[in-house]
Amino acid sequence: MNNKKLVFSGVQPTGNLHLGNYLGALKNFVSLQKEMECIYCVVDLHAITVFQKPSELYNNVLETTASFLATGLNPDKSIIFNQSSVSGHSELAWILNCVSRIGWLNRMTQFKDKAGSDKEKASVGLYIYPNLMAADILLYKATHVPVGADQKQHLELSRDIAQKFNNDFDCKNFFPLPEPLIPKNISRVMSLRDATKKMSKSEESDYSRINLKDSADEINRKIRKAKSDSQQIPDNIKLLENKPEALNLLNIYSEISKNKLEAVVLEMAGKEYSFLKTKLAEILIEEITPIGKELQKLLKDKSYLKTILQKGSEKASIIAEENLKNIRDKVGLI
Ligand code: AQP
C-alpha cells in the first residue's frame, strides 16, 4: 500500500466566507500545507445542489479562491482549483453512487436540515451530495481531510464507501480510509444570533456571522449586537451549559487569543459580557481585517485568480486521470 499522506478539502462557493469557515477549515488548511501535500478545491458542483444564480456562482468561485489565497494558501505549495474543471469528480461520483447505499444516505442529518420540511422538493443532487464528497476525496486517494465538525458524518460515509469499494472489487487497501482532521478546541462556530445553529453563509441575517470581508466597523457592530447573557460571566464553564450564546463568544475569544477556555473564563469571571465583547471585537479586527484587505485586493485581478484555478486544475487532472484509470480497471469498465 502507498503510505503517502495527502490532504484534500473543499469549500462551497455559496457566498461570503465567514469566521466558521476560517476557524473550522481554512486556518487548518494553511498550517497543513507546511507539512503535507495538499489539494484544496472550490466545490462548485456541491454549490449547485441548491439553486445558484449563474452570475453569482461565477463571482463566488473567484471570491472563494481569493479567500483561500488571502488566508495564506500558497498555490506553489498546494493545488488550488475548482471542482467542475476536473471531470473525474463527476465520473467517480457516478461509480460511487452505485456503491453507496440508500440507507446510508437516509441517515445524513445535513440533508434533513437543508431540505427542510418539504423533502420532495429538494434536488436529487442535494440528497446524493455525500457521494460526490466521497468522490472528491477518493479521486486523489486523499488520506486526511480537514473539516469542521459539521462534516464529520459525511466523512464517515466516505470511509464506508471506500471500504465497501475495496471489499466489492476485492482490492484491499485500494482506497485509503480518509481521516478527518477536526479542530480540537472550536470545531463548530455558532451563529451570533442563535447559538443553537452553526454560523453559516446561507443564514439570512448578516448579523449572524463575521465575514472575512467585514470592515472593523462591521465586526464591532456585529459583536456588540451578538446575543450573550444578562448575568455576569461565571467563574466555572459548567455554569455556561445552558447559555450557548455566551459560551460561543467565549469559545471564539479563547480560539483567537490562543488561551484555553478555562483560563479565559477565569480571566473574565465577574465581568459583564460587554467587557468580553470589547476585547473580542479588538482581537477579531486584528485577525480578520488584514485578510479582508488582501481579499479585496485580490478580487481586483480576476484574470490572476482564473490563472491560479487553471494551473491548479491542470495539476489535479494529472493525479485524477491516473487514479481513474485504475478505478475503471477495478470496476471492469473498458
Ligand atoms: N460554523 C462553522 N464552524 C466550523 N466549521 C465550519 N465550516 C462551515 N461552517 C462552519 C467548515 O467550513 C468548511 C467549508 O464549508 P462549506 O462552505 O463547504 O459548507 P458548509 O459547511 O455548508 O458551510 P456553510 O457556511 O454553512 O455554507 P452554506 O450556508 O452554503 O451551507 C467545511 O469544512 C465546514 O465543516
Side-chain angles (χ1 to χ4, degrees):
M1 192 176 58
N2 185 354
N3 288 324
K4 197 173 89 175
K5 288 182 180 170
L6 181 70
V7 169
F8 178 94
S9 197
V11 175
Q12 293 190 70
T14 40
N16 286 326
L17 263 58
H18 50 72
L19 188 66
N21 301 128
Y22 177 65
L23 295 179
L26 289 171
K27 235 181 149 175
N28 227 354
F29 292 4
V30 176
S31 57
L32 284 165
Q33 76 177 351
K34 293 180 199 128
E35 306 158 26
M36 294 190 215
E37 210 177 304
C38 297
I39 304 178
Y40 295 121
C41 187
V42 180
V43 286
D44 45 10
L45 296 176
H46 283 285
I48 60 169
T49 55
V50 174
F51 180 75
Q52 306 290 321
K53 278 195 191 143
S55 59
E56 280 177 20
L57 177 63
Y58 186 94
N59 285 326
N60 282 336
V61 169
L62 296 179
E63 190 163 324
T64 305
T65 310
S67 303
F68 280 5
L69 302 177
T71 44
L73 287 186
N74 177 348
D76 294 327
K77 282 194 179 148
S78 301
I79 298 180
I80 297 171
F81 74 108
N82 60 313
Q83 188 185 25
S84 62
S85 67
V86 177
S87 58
H89 289 256
S90 308
E91 185 179 341
L92 182 56
W94 181 257
I95 294 173
L96 298 184
N97 281 340
C98 303
V99 174
S100 179
R101 304 288 92 180
I102 290 176
W104 296 354
L105 289 179
N106 283 343
R107 286 199 287 274
M108 295 298 112
T109 54
Q110 195 183 75
F111 175 74
K112 290 176 193 154
D113 292 346
K114 286 203 171 175
S117 52
D118 199 354
K119 293 187 183 38
E120 300 284 313
K121 288 208 172 131
S123 75
V124 176
L126 188 66
Y127 181 64
I128 57 173
Y129 167 121
N131 295 345
L132 176 60
M133 179 164 159
D136 299 336
I137 299 164
L138 301 179
L139 183 59
Y140 302 96
K141 296 195 171 184
T143 55
H144 293 81
V145 185
V147 281
D150 58 308
Q151 291 298 330
K152 188 166 178 267
Q153 195 186 32
H154 288 164
L155 208 60
E156 279 159 6
L157 183 84
S158 298
R159 290 168 64 91
D160 289 344
I161 292 175
Q163 182 79 67
K164 187 168 188 308
F165 185 100
N166 293 349
N167 289 343
D168 287 356
F169 297 103
D170 200 15
C171 49
K172 202 172 169 218
N173 299 330
F174 177 74
F175 282 131
L177 306 189
E179 294 283 343
L181 296 174
I182 297 174
K184 283 195 188 70
N185 301 329
I186 189 161
S187 57
R188 200 187 289 260
V189 179
M190 308 312 277
S191 156
L192 299 178
R193 307 300 294 160
D194 172 2
T196 59
K197 294 189 195 150
K198 70 166 189 158
M199 188 176 280
S200 165
K201 299 184 216 100
S202 50
E203 167 70 46
E204 219 170 290
S205 168
D206 200 47
Y207 278 95
S208 67
R209 62 185 161 258
I210 301 291
N211 301 308
L212 295 183
K213 267 193 341 194
D214 282 347
S215 65
D217 276 355
E218 282 166 322
I219 294 177
N220 239 324
R221 211 172 323 124
K222 286 178 178 179
I223 295 297
R224 289 221 174 286
K225 286 200 173 235
K227 276 199 179 170
S228 56
D229 192 50
S230 53
Q231 290 174 358
Q232 291 170 340
I233 301 173
D235 58 4
N236 188 332
I237 300 175
K238 287 214 173 89
L239 298 170
L240 291 163
E241 261 166 24
N242 297 320
K243 299 178 188 291
E245 279 85 16
L247 185 61
N248 189 36
L249 294 180
L250 284 159
N251 259 324
I252 299 172
Y253 184 78
S254 145
E255 183 63 20
I256 305 271
S257 67
K258 299 191 182 77
N259 284 312
K260 284 209 157 60
L261 182 62
E262 291 79 358
V264 166
V265 169
L266 280 182
E267 177 197 335
M268 301 272 170
K271 303 241 170 39
E272 305 292 332
Y273 279 90
S274 56
F275 178 81
L276 166 66
K277 286 182 172 185
T278 307
K279 300 259 263 177
L280 178 58
E282 266 170 30
I283 54 169
L284 276 173
I285 289 167
E286 207 178 300
E287 177 116 1
I288 300 297
T289 54
I291 297 174
K293 282 185 191 139
E294 183 61 20
L295 178 50
Q296 302 285 13
K297 203 172 95 193
L298 286 161
L299 282 173
K300 291 196 181 119
D301 193 350
K302 301 228 158 105
S303 65
Y304 170 69
L305 296 171
K306 283 191 229 164
T307 309
I308 297 285
L309 290 177
Q310 197 197 327
K311 285 190 179 154
S313 157
E314 283 163 14
K315 290 186 207 162
S317 292
I318 295 170
I319 310 173
E321 262 316 306
E322 182 63 32
N323 286 338
L324 260 180
K325 248 191 262 165
N326 295 328
I327 294 165
R328 288 189 200 111
D329 191 46
K330 294 284 175 227
V331 178
L333 301 169
I334 297 176

